[in-house]
Amino acid sequence: MSEGYRPDPYDARPRGDDRPEHYANIPLYLLLTIVTFFVFNLYWNYKQMQACNDLLDRDDFSFLNWIVFTLLTCGIYHFFYQYKMGAAINEIQERLDLPVTEGLPVLSVVASILGFGMVADCIHQHEINRIVTR
């Protein structure tokens, strides 16, 4: 007797979902961030760090370092991280001959300083989605 299709319980993607590995549903991630009082945003930043490390083929980002230095500097390190993430995304775009989002590093820092860090995360994810779905 054939059992038919049995989904893998550890596969987070629905059946037939062929989105690339680093693609994220921005509205869903935004909602989860708000509903969890920004706890989910830690995971989202971790996933963005992984994506950039994989796409750059080097380890520029460390989640543990980001958390520790952000806490030790009372949040100032996060502004540096936002700049670095924007610059990394621009480098990936250049490597792949994709249109470069001019001013992304500065925009990321300004958004974070003004209290709109989640907007910077959405912009970063949008650019990562564009890169992985090219």
Side-chain angles (χ1 to χ4, degrees):
M1 173 183 233
S2 175
E3 293 183 27
Y5 173 75
R6 295 184 67 164
D8 180 356
Y10 301 106
D11 186 2
R13 297 184 309 173
R15 183 177 180 200
D17 186 358
D18 59 352
R19 285 181 286 189
E21 178 181 0
H22 299 298
Y23 182 91
N25 183 331
I26 296 170
L28 175 63
Y29 276 38
L30 193 57
L31 178 66
L32 289 170
T33 295
I34 293 167
V35 168
T36 63
F37 301 102
F38 292 83
V39 173
F40 186 80
N41 192 257
L42 296 172
Y43 171 75
W44 191 1
N45 275 280
Y46 169 74
K47 294 302 285 181
Q48 288 181 348
M49 289 178 202
Q50 272 189 329
C52 283
N53 283 341
D54 287 351
L55 293 166
L56 288 168
D57 199 26
R58 62 179 190 248
D59 291 332
D60 276 7
F61 299 97
S62 165
F63 182 77
L64 182 60
N65 287 348
W66 171 66
I67 287 286
V68 169
F69 289 129
T70 298
L71 292 174
L72 288 176
T73 63
C74 299
I76 294 172
Y77 183 80
H78 183 69
F79 303 135
F80 170 71
Y81 157 76
Q82 289 287 24
Y83 184 88
K84 192 173 169 186
M85 177 65 71
I89 290 170
N90 280 350
E91 182 181 340
I92 295 163
Q93 290 169 331
E94 287 174 3
R95 281 186 183 185
L96 300 174
D97 290 327
L98 296 171
V100 175
T101 307
E102 297 296 328
L104 181 59
V106 174
L107 174 66
S108 302
V109 172
V110 170
S112 294
I113 289 172
L114 295 176
F116 298 105
M118 228 171 31
V119 171
D121 292 337
C122 290
I123 295 169
H124 292 163
Q125 190 62 55
H126 172 73
E127 296 302 326
I128 291 169
N129 287 352
R130 280 187 22 187
I131 290 166
V132 299
T133 58
R134 69 187 188 290

